[in-house]
Amino acid sequence: MDNFAEYMVKKQPDGRDKAKRMGIILLAVLLCAVTIAAVFFTKIPFILLITCALIYGAYFLLSSQSVEYEYAVTNGEMDVDKIVARRKRVHLITVDVSKFEAFGEMTDDVPDDETRTLVLCSDNTGEREYYADLDTDDYGPTRIIFSPNEAVIDVLQEALPRQLRLGH
């Protein structure tokens, strides 16, 4: 019987994301005002198509700020995908859970390791974040930070090396 669990988390916007949104909106409003003024001054209604394109471009950029991460654990193999605006899926990483060197809840006691490639795929709230350290063929020493639910943790526990299993 296969051991399988999957979970999807939505990345919560931080201050930088909110600033990007405001910048996109302000720039779109400014450019639309300029194109509408150009229509009045030049009497060329074709310029309104540029206004429509600006509005669509702003919508596209704003919706692209919506990011979700999907974790799927199947028989000891964890896949992490990034989903942008529910229209584009990007595969981030696939790892063998039995090769984890360290695993646990992300706290202030966990030391930073500047030598590791960081794969940040959490919900950005800072609550119930877990980390996994391992060596991968693609990235070398790697740390994955993610926000799994209990079902994903339970399936991970079954595949973890004995010394890394949590007290579940």
Side-chain angles (χ1 to χ4, degrees), residues 38-84:
V39 168
F40 285 119
F41 290 124
T42 62
K43 307 286 191 236
I44 303 172
F46 180 73
I47 297 175
L48 287 177
L49 288 176
I50 295 171
T51 305
C52 293
L54 288 170
I55 292 170
Y56 176 75
Y59 163 76
F60 186 83
L61 290 174
L62 287 172
S63 66
S64 293
Q65 298 292 312
S66 173
V67 174
E68 297 172 323
Y69 296 102
E70 181 183 57
Y71 321 123
V73 183
T74 308
N75 295 331
E77 187 173 87
M78 184 169 92
D79 291 315
V80 180
D81 293 338
K82 179 180 180 180
I83 302 166
V84 179

Side-chain angles (χ1 to χ4, degrees), residues 90-143:
V90 178
H91 180 73
L92 294 180
I93 194 166
T94 298
V95 295
D96 183 359
V97 177
S98 66
K99 295 191 177 171
F100 282 5
E101 299 165 0
F103 174 76
E105 194 160 353
M106 192 69 182
T107 63
D108 292 336
D109 298 334
V110 177
D112 289 338
D113 190 349
E114 302 295 327
T115 62
R116 293 189 177 275
T117 300
L118 183 64
V119 179
L120 184 59
C121 49
S122 70
D123 61 5
N124 205 28
T125 61
E127 298 174 9
R128 296 222 5 108
E129 288 183 341
Y130 284 76
Y131 76 98
D133 290 345
L134 71 153
D135 211 5
T136 64
D137 293 334
D138 295 335
Y139 303 110
T142 304
R143 172 170 283 172

Side-chain angles (χ1 to χ4, degrees), residues 8-64:
M8 188 176 292
V9 296
K10 182 173 177 60
K11 180 181 176 259
Q12 300 301 315
D14 58 6
R16 193 171 15 159
D17 293 332
K18 291 176 183 176
K20 284 180 191 177
R21 287 178 189 252
M22 288 303 299
I24 291 168
I25 291 169
L26 289 175
L27 186 61
V29 168
L30 177 68
L31 291 175
C32 285
V34 168
T35 58
I36 290 172
V39 168
F40 285 119
F41 290 124
T42 62
K43 307 286 191 236
I44 303 172
F46 180 73
I47 297 175
L48 287 177
L49 288 176
I50 295 171
T51 305
C52 293
L54 288 170
I55 292 170
Y56 176 75
Y59 163 76
F60 186 83
L61 290 174
L62 287 172
S63 66
S64 293

